Amino acid sequence: MKNFEFKYSNLKKTYEKLEEACNLYDGKDALIRDSLIQRFELNYEFCYKTLQEYMKYMGVFLDDTFPRAIFKKAYANNLISREDVWIRLIQDRNMTSHIYNEKLADEIANRVVTEYLPAIKELIKNIDESIDKFD
């Protein structure tokens, strides 16, 4: 449980930082956009690592530990509601790590603000509610 608690705490902290960047992003400032993308990349890591630990703790069998498999299991266990958003999130995370293109960066930043931030917020809420049921 300590691994989960540590990762979950960091997930919430990185979510707050991502939310802060999203609130500042106006679609024009490349410095804020790039900061938002960096925060997105870090938060992504904590999303799937936290989910992995949490599902292990809950007794959910994980076939493998790749993010796609983790998010599919999270969807199957009602921790996330839009599997398609999370799969696209993985694809965008991979693109930000391997390719840099201004137009693509703008598109991804807009998806972070409009789709991914709300999805991550929902994940945190669902984990909180799930934890409350077991306390």
Side-chain angles (χ1 to χ4, degrees):
M1 186 67 173
K2 286 189 182 201
N3 269 346
F4 164 72
E5 290 170 350
F6 174 76
K7 288 176 181 165
Y8 190 48
S9 172
N10 282 312
L11 169 61
K12 291 201 262 187
K13 288 176 192 173
T14 60
Y15 171 80
E16 289 173 7
K17 294 295 184 182
L18 177 60
E19 184 179 42
E20 179 181 38
C22 287
N23 289 336
L24 292 173
Y25 183 60
D26 62 2
K28 298 173 188 165
D29 190 322
L31 187 61
I32 292 173
R33 179 202 59 214
D34 293 349
S35 173
L36 182 153
I37 289 172
Q38 283 285 289
R39 289 177 179 196
F40 162 67
E41 291 172 343
L42 181 61
N43 190 257
Y44 161 86
E45 296 295 323
F46 281 109
C47 282
Y48 91 82
K49 290 177 181 179
T50 300
L51 275 169
Q52 180 181 3
E53 287 298 323
Y54 184 65
M55 287 190 288
K56 275 195 235 175
Y57 175 75
M58 299 305 295
V60 175
F61 176 73
L62 301 172
D63 302 325
D64 62 50
T65 58
F66 293 110
R68 182 178 299 268
I70 299 292
F71 294 138
K72 284 184 175 288
K73 282 285 187 175
Y75 176 73
N77 285 277
N78 299 312
L79 292 170
I80 60 175
S81 65
R82 300 254 340 256
E83 182 181 15
D84 62 314
V85 169
W86 288 89
I87 299 306
R88 192 168 45 251
L89 184 148
I90 293 169
Q91 294 165 343
D92 281 349
R93 165 57 175 86
N94 290 339
M95 283 192 277
T96 63
S97 298
H98 303 293
I99 302 169
Y100 192 79
N101 170 296
E102 290 287 322
K103 185 176 184 293
L104 180 62
D106 288 338
E107 291 170 6
I108 291 172
N110 286 326
R111 281 193 291 275
V112 170
V113 172
T114 61
E115 295 180 39
Y116 305 153
L117 188 72
I120 296 164
K121 182 177 184 175
E122 177 195 42
L123 168 64
I124 292 169
K125 177 182 151 287
N126 289 344
I127 291 174
D128 280 340
E129 289 173 357
S130 181
I131 290 169
D132 288 345
K133 288 179 186 175
F134 290 99
D135 285 344

